[in-house]
Amino acid sequence: MTPTLTNAKTPAINALSFGAGVQSSALLLMSAHGLLPRIDYAAFADTGWERPETYAALDRLENEVAKPAGIEIVRLRAGDIRRDALDPNSRFSTMPLFIRNRDGSKGMLRRQCTSTYKIKILLAEARRRLGAEVFDDGRVGRVKRGQSLSMWVGISSDEFHRAKDSGVKYAVNTFPLLELGLTRADTQAYLDQHGFAAVSKSACIGCPYTSNAGWRRLRDDQPEQWNEAVEFDHAIRAGNARANANGRPLLGQAFLHPSLLPLDEAPIDAPPQRRHLRIVGQNESVDWENGDPDGCSPWACRSGQPEQPPGFSEVAA
Ligand code: SF4
């Protein structure tokens, strides 16, 4: 029997916020298999600098799961996060870069990228689906009062604290995995069972939230992408190009790694007992070795309050 989802009773449209990671991929499969109500569309917000395995998983899930089930996958893009950071003529929303301030204190830029490159375009697509006007320049207008759709977000029961509202009335965030009481392990098992064991979290190649383990994997397994990240890290030392061109230079130096060292010199290979100490001062509660298992998910994990390691304070861009 197809389970009924609380928020899916009212809205006529079921949308999936689709990152091609473990939980949202499990939701796509469950919907395609009839274990959950039918998704009308799954929206992938592409920052332009996702990992090759994310694009590969997206293609495979589209061809082998979504298309046969008649589920549309829509790829949305607000720009190219890497190019935009380096181009003085591009609009840029700051990444959560680690900053060494001029007085030697540590900071972290306020994260705007998840909102610009993911949430805003997912919501614009939602408004478009709800019949809002699309202007010549691509902007999408408002929805009529009372209209809404159900936005499925992949949060498992062991991570319920990550569940957040969308912040707008016309997109009602819905958490099918929570309602079904499924854990992350359950969703991974479901993917394994259906031949999608290799699905991994989605995140930008040069995301400052990348854990030490993630950087080592990139360096050891994907040298081309590692070189991109190292090059980018060097290029953003003085902050983003647009701000500098507009006379708002960064008052300090920016880094991708919280050690405030160039990425290719950062202590990503330090013995485990030293990684926390070197990276976040004396506080060992931040797991920078393994990082966050979920990557950059709109309306989950990092899209809420900025997460800064102890000892880092927020720095305005
Ligand atoms: S993965 Fe990181 S850099 Fe990319 S949008 Fe998310 S928070 Fe920003």
Side-chain angles (χ1 to χ4, degrees):
M1 193 179 86
T2 304
T4 303
L5 299 173
T6 310
N7 285 326
K9 284 177 188 166
T10 318
I13 299 175
N14 284 317
L16 171 63
S17 168
F18 184 48
V22 171
Q23 281 126 326
S24 64
S25 296
L27 287 176
L28 179 72
L29 257 76
M30 288 174 182
S31 175
H33 296 165
L35 293 173
L36 288 171
R38 172 70 169 274
I39 296 165
D40 293 283
Y41 72 94
F44 178 82
D46 184 357
T47 66
W49 201 19
E50 306 278 344
R51 297 173 190 173
E53 61 266 32
T54 301
Y55 292 119
L58 179 64
D59 290 344
R60 194 177 158 220
L61 285 159
E62 181 171 25
N63 291 326
E64 297 181 22
V65 178
K67 276 185 186 162
I71 296 171
E72 180 189 0
I73 290 194
V74 55
R75 301 174 191 227
L76 307 168
R77 195 151 158 173
D80 179 316
I81 195 168
R82 176 171 57 143
R83 189 198 60 212
D84 295 346
L86 303 179
D87 180 354
N89 297 314
S90 276
R91 175 193 57 157
F92 178 66
S93 291
T94 51
M95 294 164 76
L97 299 170
F98 297 100
I99 305 297
R100 181 188 290 121
N101 296 310
R102 282 182 178 170
D103 63 2
S105 62
K106 297 183 284 188
M108 196 172 189
L109 287 182
R110 187 155 59 92
R111 185 193 59 244
Q112 299 171 330
C113 44
T114 315
S115 171
T116 299
Y117 292 93
K118 299 196 173 186
I119 292 175
K120 282 183 182 166
I121 51 176
L122 289 170
L123 290 179
E125 177 66 10
R127 294 198 301 279
R128 191 180 74 78
R129 300 272 172 164
L130 287 166
E133 184 178 357
V134 180
F135 301 106
D136 291 344
D137 61 3
R139 282 181 304 115
V140 184
R142 297 181 172 205
V143 297
K144 289 196 182 123
R145 187 186 292 268
Q147 287 190 315
S148 67
L149 56 66
S150 178
M151 180 69 75
W152 293 16
V153 182
I155 306 270
S156 47
S157 61
D158 43 338
E159 298 168 335
F160 66 92
H161 55 282
R162 295 171 184 259
K164 297 181 181 81
D165 287 340
S166 70
V168 294
K169 286 187 179 158
Y170 58 83
V172 181
N173 277 1
T174 306
F175 307 98
L177 299 174
L178 279 186
E179 298 199 22
L180 297 174
L182 297 177
T183 63
R184 182 180 178 81
D186 294 332
T187 56
Q188 182 65 62
Y190 190 80
L191 291 176
D192 293 353
Q193 192 188 339
H194 292 92
F196 288 91
V199 165
S200 65
K201 69 178 183 178
S202 60
C204 296
I205 288 170
C207 179
Y209 282 122
T210 304
S211 65
N212 281 338
W215 287 128
R216 287 199 302 277
R217 269 196 301 277
L218 197 67
R219 180 195 62 190
D220 299 342
D221 302 339
Q222 297 177 315
E224 191 183 325
Q225 283 73 33
W226 166 256
N227 288 337
E228 283 178 10
V230 168
E231 205 175 289
F232 182 79
D233 174 64
H234 282 275
I236 49 85
R237 197 69 73 239
N240 84 70
R242 175 82 181 247
N244 281 308
N246 287 348
R248 291 186 289 109
L250 182 69
L251 302 177
Q253 288 187 308
F255 298 84
L256 288 186
H257 194 270
S259 62
L260 303 180
L261 289 170
L263 184 57
D264 47 353
E265 297 172 27
I268 61 174
D269 286 309
Q273 67 274 20
R274 288 181 55 221
R275 286 179 195 141
H276 298 291
L277 292 175
R278 288 199 61 179
I279 292 168
V280 297
Q282 299 303 310
N283 191 319
E284 297 189 55
S285 65
V286 172
D287 185 2
W288 216 267
E289 167 57 14
N290 296 305
D292 189 315
D294 287 321
C296 183
S297 167
W299 295 300
C301 58
R302 297 166 188 155
S303 55
Q305 284 296 105
E307 296 169 17
Q308 293 145 354
F312 286 80
S313 54
E314 187 175 297
V315 175

